[in-house]
């Protein structure tokens, strides 16, 4: 059985605590996101070193390896989007089909050690990028193709929920 694509609009996490993982982006300062990224990245090596890392807990749920590869790519995509926000006026972000990427890139067959290295490195790149945001740039806007508007501030707070949520998913 294949994974059912996630088509939910998760922007609500900017307004309230996530009932599944308990993270509250609405109560999170964007300036704290770099530290949260690093902290989250520190949790993945132990998960990705498990002997059953590539085993799906059930046919409709990603394995820890697939979640780790996804989080790595979330960090990479976010880095591109922050660069657009800081370099362009009101950019529109290219669509990213996370489920198609997981299949095309064969997340479940990737080397866990390589995923670990790349995830930690991508988190650090993103953390450094956010630490370098000028004080007057946090309100710069951009939007997804679905019309959801983000600023540097709200995108930072939105993005951090994803890796926190997925680390919660794989820790059970």
């Amino acid at each position: 059985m294949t994974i059912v694509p996630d088509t939910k609009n998760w922007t609500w996490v900017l307004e309230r605590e996530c009932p599944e993982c308990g993270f509250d982006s609405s109560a999170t300062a964007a300036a704290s996101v770099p530290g949260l990224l690093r902290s989250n990245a520190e949790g993945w090596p132990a998960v990705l070193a498990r002997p059953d890392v590539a085993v799906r807990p059930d046919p409709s749920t990603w394995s820890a390896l697939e979640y780790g590869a996804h989080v790595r790519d979330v960090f990479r995509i976010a880095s591109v989007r922050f660069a657009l926000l800081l370099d362009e006026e009101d950019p529109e972000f290219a669509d990213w089909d996370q489920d198609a990427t997981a299949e095309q890139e064969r997340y479940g067959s990737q080397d866990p050690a390589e995923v670990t290295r790349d995830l930690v490195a991508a988190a650090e790149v993103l953390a450094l990028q956010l630490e370098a945001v000028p004080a007057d740039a946090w309100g710069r806007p951009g939007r997804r193709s679905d019309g959801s508007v983000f600023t540097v501030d709200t995108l930072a707070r939105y993005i951090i929920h994803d890796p926190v949520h997925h680390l919660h998913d794989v820790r059970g």
Side-chain angles (χ1 to χ4, degrees):
M1 181 176 188
T2 59
I3 303 294
V4 176
D6 182 359
T7 58
K8 291 183 270 185
N9 182 342
W10 285 87
T11 56
W12 61 265
V13 302
L14 290 168
E15 300 166 4
R16 62 187 179 277
E17 179 180 304
C18 177
E20 293 176 34
C21 71
F23 187 76
D24 191 350
S25 290
S26 69
T28 301
S32 70
V33 171
L36 294 170
L37 288 164
R38 290 181 178 111
S39 177
N40 181 268
E42 289 172 3
W44 284 97
V47 169
L48 294 170
R50 291 184 200 154
D52 66 344
V53 69
V55 177
R56 288 184 171 175
D58 61 67
S60 63
T61 305
W62 277 353
S63 68
L65 177 57
E66 290 168 303
Y67 275 119
H70 167 72
V71 166
R72 173 206 58 210
D73 287 352
V74 165
F75 292 154
R76 289 173 172 172
I77 295 294
S79 184
V80 169
R81 290 181 176 182
F82 283 112
L84 287 170
L85 282 168
L86 295 168
D87 294 341
E88 297 180 12
E89 292 299 320
D90 193 27
E92 182 176 316
F93 308 135
D95 286 334
W96 179 49
D97 185 332
Q98 64 187 19
D99 298 296
T101 302
E103 282 187 39
Q104 291 164 0
E105 298 297 320
R106 301 177 43 109
Y107 279 178
S109 300
Q110 293 186 13
D111 176 7
E114 187 175 326
V115 171
T116 300
R117 282 190 304 275
D118 292 347
L119 183 154
V120 170
E124 183 61 20
V125 166
L126 187 54
L128 290 169
Q129 188 177 21
L130 289 173
E131 286 173 338
V133 171
D136 64 348
W138 287 99
R140 291 181 59 86
R143 59 200 146 68
R144 289 192 313 210
S145 61
D146 69 359
S148 296
V149 175
F150 291 91
T151 63
V152 175
D153 177 278
T154 59
L155 186 61
R157 293 184 299 106
Y158 173 78
I159 288 297
I160 191 56
H161 170 259
D162 197 81
V164 169
H165 191 102
H166 292 320
L167 192 56
H168 169 80
D169 287 338
V170 298
R171 287 183 171 165

